[in-house]
Amino acid sequence: MNSSSGQVSSLDIVFTASNGASVLVCLLAVILVCGLRLHKKVVYRLAMYQVLSAFAFALAELLQIVYFSYQNDPGVYDRLCIEIGWLVLYSAWMKLFFTVWVTFHLFCFGVLHKNLKKLELLYVTTSLLTPGVIALIPVVTGSYGPTSGGCYIHNDDDNNYTQQSAIIETFALWDGPAMLILLVASGLMVAMVIKLAHRVYWRRNYEQITEGDQFWKVLKQLLPLAAFPIVFFVFVVPVVIYHIYYSFNTSTSASSFELTLSAVLFISMWSMSSGFILIVHISVVQIPVSCRKLRSVQFKGVKHRSFDRTGRLEIELPVGSATSFPLPLCSVTD
């Protein structure tokens, strides 16, 4: 890409800021899960693992700032580039594996009515170990090196054979498998949502199921997590298209500043979207549940009466006087 120094500086700022924001969003999501003790439930642990892998990917991307500091000292940068490239590919595959396992777990529970929480150890070990093996392949082939934007599979060599090999290796080790896996995972989640929506409609019209049905209570909490593979797929597609476009235009200026900037933002969204989905899910599903549980809490053996219109909790004390306590997380509609 032929860019002015001002454009390169702008890319550096956007790259650092977007990945830094992704780190903070993922960290906030993990803090919420732990703070509300949701990690005791296997599905939230799977979601948390997925967000932690997204956190690791954002950190690995942030390490690319080494390129900005050491690009004038190849001796130092080249030694670091292999490790950074390995971390980027490893964390990307780790996130992909955890996304697959979340999809698999939700599909088995929602469609096959099987709770496979006993497979959690398998989920974790395969997601941690298998990506490491995949990320070692470019180390063996000597493919990691400086690219136009940091450390990854090197494709900036003037040798046409080296460029073609790098393009093939990049597509084989990430772009192709990620597109295919996420396409299948997204299709499974869409099919699951459609089937469950039909089942809920049929049961409520013909069997009159109630809100208290345990299966539907749990399912209602799981459904928002179906967004993980779908959103990941949506943000991966533009980056893969950019890689393909850039691969066929390495000798021209066709890879514009706007396209590169878009790719940087889409890559940062791989991590940020995961944390954001989990935060929204907790806010929509779990916090209202916690508020409803407060309706049955007891103060010295006396149940509270109601929430007032400002969201304050009104209780009647044993002596007959009433008082209220502020509960800002609870809505009067809960």
Side-chain angles (χ1 to χ4, degrees):
M1 180 183 70
N2 296 331
S3 302
S4 66
S5 59
Q7 289 178 336
V8 172
S9 178
S10 298
L11 283 175
D12 294 350
I13 294 172
V14 171
F15 181 88
T16 305
S18 58
N19 283 289
S22 299
V23 168
L24 294 178
V25 170
C26 291
L27 187 60
L28 176 60
V30 173
I31 291 173
L32 278 176
V33 171
C34 296
L36 294 173
R37 298 183 179 179
L38 299 177
H39 59 279
K40 296 180 179 180
K41 302 176 182 179
V42 63
V43 69
Y44 281 104
R45 285 201 298 275
L46 289 176
M48 186 173 69
Y49 298 151
Q50 211 263 3
V51 173
L52 283 172
S53 62
F55 175 79
F57 177 75
L59 280 180
E61 284 290 300
L62 272 179
L63 288 177
Q64 303 280 11
I65 61 176
V66 173
Y67 175 75
F68 310 148
S69 302
Y70 293 107
Q71 56 185 324
N72 295 323
D73 191 349
V76 175
Y77 181 66
D78 289 343
R79 289 195 297 270
L80 295 172
C81 208
I82 295 176
E83 287 80 4
I84 295 175
W86 182 87
L87 282 172
V88 169
L89 189 58
Y90 170 76
S91 55
W93 268 101
M94 182 169 59
K95 183 183 186 309
L96 183 61
F97 264 85
F98 277 122
T99 302
V100 168
W101 287 128
V102 169
T103 303
F104 175 75
H105 190 83
L106 292 176
F107 186 81
C108 288
F109 182 85
V111 177
L112 305 179
H113 298 178
K114 294 184 180 296
N115 192 346
L116 302 178
K117 61 182 181 181
K118 293 182 180 179
L119 296 180
E120 181 180 0
L121 182 60
L122 175 66
Y123 299 161
V124 175
T125 53
T126 54
S127 299
L128 292 177
L129 298 179
T130 310
V133 176
I134 297 173
L136 279 176
I137 295 176
V139 175
V140 175
T141 60
S143 302
Y144 285 131
T147 66
S148 57
C151 284
Y152 196 56
I153 297 174
H154 183 60
N155 62 357
D156 289 344
D157 199 290
D158 292 333
N159 186 293
N160 288 332
Y161 176 77
T162 304
Q163 286 185 352
Q164 292 173 1
S165 300
I167 292 170
I168 294 172
E169 193 168 1
T170 300
F171 188 82
L173 289 179
W174 174 252
D175 291 349
M179 284 277 288
L180 180 61
I181 292 170
L182 289 173
L183 178 62
V184 173
S186 300
L188 288 176
M189 288 297 93
V190 171
M192 183 190 76
V193 171
I194 292 173
K195 182 171 182 178
L196 293 177
H198 178 267
R199 188 182 299 168
V200 170
Y201 175 81
W202 187 85
R203 286 198 176 186
R204 286 187 172 170
N205 280 275
Y206 297 100
E207 296 183 7
Q208 299 298 317
I209 65 167
T210 63
E211 253 328 282
D213 185 270
Q214 184 63 27
F215 174 75
W216 297 109
K217 271 185 170 180
V218 176
L219 194 58
K220 204 161 127 188
Q221 296 182 0
L222 298 187
L223 278 178
L225 301 178
F228 276 126
I230 297 173
V231 173
F232 195 8
F233 177 70
V234 168
F235 288 123
V236 163
V237 169
V239 177
V240 173
I241 292 175
Y242 170 78
H243 285 166
I244 295 173
Y245 180 79
Y246 177 72
S247 297
F248 287 99
N249 294 277
T250 53
S251 60
T252 69
S253 60
S255 181
S256 67
F257 170 74
E258 290 77 14
L259 284 175
T260 305
L261 179 63
S262 299
V264 166
L265 292 174
F266 279 121
I267 290 174
S268 67
M269 288 304 298
W270 294 2
S271 298
M272 189 182 298
S273 61
S274 296
F276 186 72
I277 289 170
L278 190 54
I279 291 172
V280 171
H281 172 66
I282 292 172
S283 302
V284 172
V285 175
Q286 284 300 324
I287 290 179
V289 170
S290 301
C291 290
R292 284 194 293 270
K293 286 181 179 180
L294 283 173
R295 295 189 184 278
S296 61
V297 74
Q298 295 185 348
F299 293 85
K300 295 183 180 180
V302 178
K303 290 187 177 181
H304 70 266
R305 297 306 181 191
S306 63
F307 289 95
D308 66 17
R309 296 182 65 83
T310 64
R312 294 171 69 87
L313 176 65
E314 292 185 339
I315 64 171
E316 186 175 335
L317 298 177
V319 294
S321 59
T323 187
S324 62
F325 297 90
L327 292 173
L329 288 180
C330 297
S331 167
V332 295
T333 60
D334 290 335

